Amino acid sequence: MSRTLLSSLIGASLLATVAVGPAMAGGLERGGYNIDLLFDPSRFAAEATATYVMPDRKIENAVDTDPTTALVPPGSPGFGRGGGNLNGRSTTADDSEPYWVPRIGIKAGMAGFDCMIDYSQPWGVHSNPGLNWAGANSNIETKIDSDNYAGTCSYKFDVGKGGQLRLIGGVFYQEVDGFKTRLVQDFTGIPVPFTGIGRIDLEGDGVGWRIGAAYEIPEIAFRASLVYNSEVDLGDVTGTVDLTQAGRTAIPVFGTASMPASVEFKIQTGIAPDWLAFGSVKWVDWSVLQVVSFCSTAVKSLGCSYQGPGFVTSLDLLYRDGWTVQGGVGHRFNDQWSGAVSLTWDRGTTTGLSSQTDTWTVSAGAAYTPNQNVEVRLGGALGILTSGSVGAVESDGNTFGTDVSYDFGNDLVSALSGSLKVKF
């Protein structure tokens, strides 16, 4: 059996394993970017993948550290904070919600050129601790979704004995939207027809690009690739701060934000008959998201800055850059079955305002190839979300996270992934 066929068979199980890992990375990352379909040796290939991630992050020892009443005039410092004294509520909460990560791609190749188009959801988050905990003035529910439509092409040519160099380039269009709710005024015991819950809804879009290269030696199933994905400027992120349930009005707002650039290096090689080793290192520029301010559109001509003219609220993230390192091995059992196992470490992006600490994950996958045109892959993962705490953090002369403090222990996260590929 040729090493080229070996690469294809074991690569199937490698993809089943790797598909789970990025979905549990830091920042707002879910599926991230993935162009592995571009390397499929078939002239035509279509692939659909779905990953279901089940984080189990639990909040402990929550304290309302800003028990003041928050209804002050819009534009005043601290507007919408406080909410009232919530320390009589639960000190624990379930912070995370399960989610799906889909991906669909189609690839075609001819005469050294390969091109693919794909749809994915690279970014997202869903935190839902609810209303009845001591930190409801900070977060009741936060949900962010994304849609990414990409086109990527490469040109491959021979270099040296048995080696091939591949040049890669592409563009993608991205849409990001979401909302956040929290308690801006506690009306407990007060006979008013309001819940006291404030909500912000936001949306933005932008265009990015990628460039990269890969070196391959098919006979030993070797491939090394390096790909850069650009930052995506979302331009004006627009939306509404709805305070009608606090007895106020809805305020149209705007702000600016960018989704991060990333660089990923991947390598794989045959190490023995029917065995493959693989690994990757990825950097994501999550520090591009610090404090995202939103101001009233009534003063849009003045711009928008934290606590500046027209300031209404902000998303206080203060992320640091993310690093993800993965390594594993794959094995071909026979002409139809292959499998792989990997270990992934993801450096958490939190600087003290979120529970996104380091994650350690073990993943395993299997691929079934009933014939040369169909591949079915299944993968699973089990990981540890490491412990930490959330509280006040100082940055650029301002103090953030003054509304709540809490702890969290080492929690579990699990995931399942399934994929179908058809190729000709």
Side-chain angles (χ1 to χ4, degrees), residues 9 17-18 97 102 113 155 172 181 202 211 231 249 255 262 264 297 303 315 325 335 345 357 402 407 415:
L9 289 171
T17 303
V18 174
E97 291 285 334
F113 286 95
Y155 177 65
F172 44 90
T181 59
L202 301 165
I211 190 170
E231 181 178 297
T249 62
S262 66
E264 185 167 21
T297 56
L315 296 179
V325 180
D335 289 343
W345 168 73
T357 51
T402 58
D407 303 318

Side-chain angles (χ1 to χ4, degrees), residues 25-29 32-33 123 259-264 281-288 320-324 346-347 349:
L28 303 178
E29 187 158 353
Y33 299 121
W123 322 121
M259 301 313 294
S262 66
V263 178
E264 185 167 21
V281 178
K282 179 171 66 175
W283 165 81
V284 184
D285 185 22
W286 282 115
S287 60
V288 73
R320 65 175 180 173
D321 290 350
W323 286 92
T324 305
D346 181 81
R347 189 183 83 156
T349 56

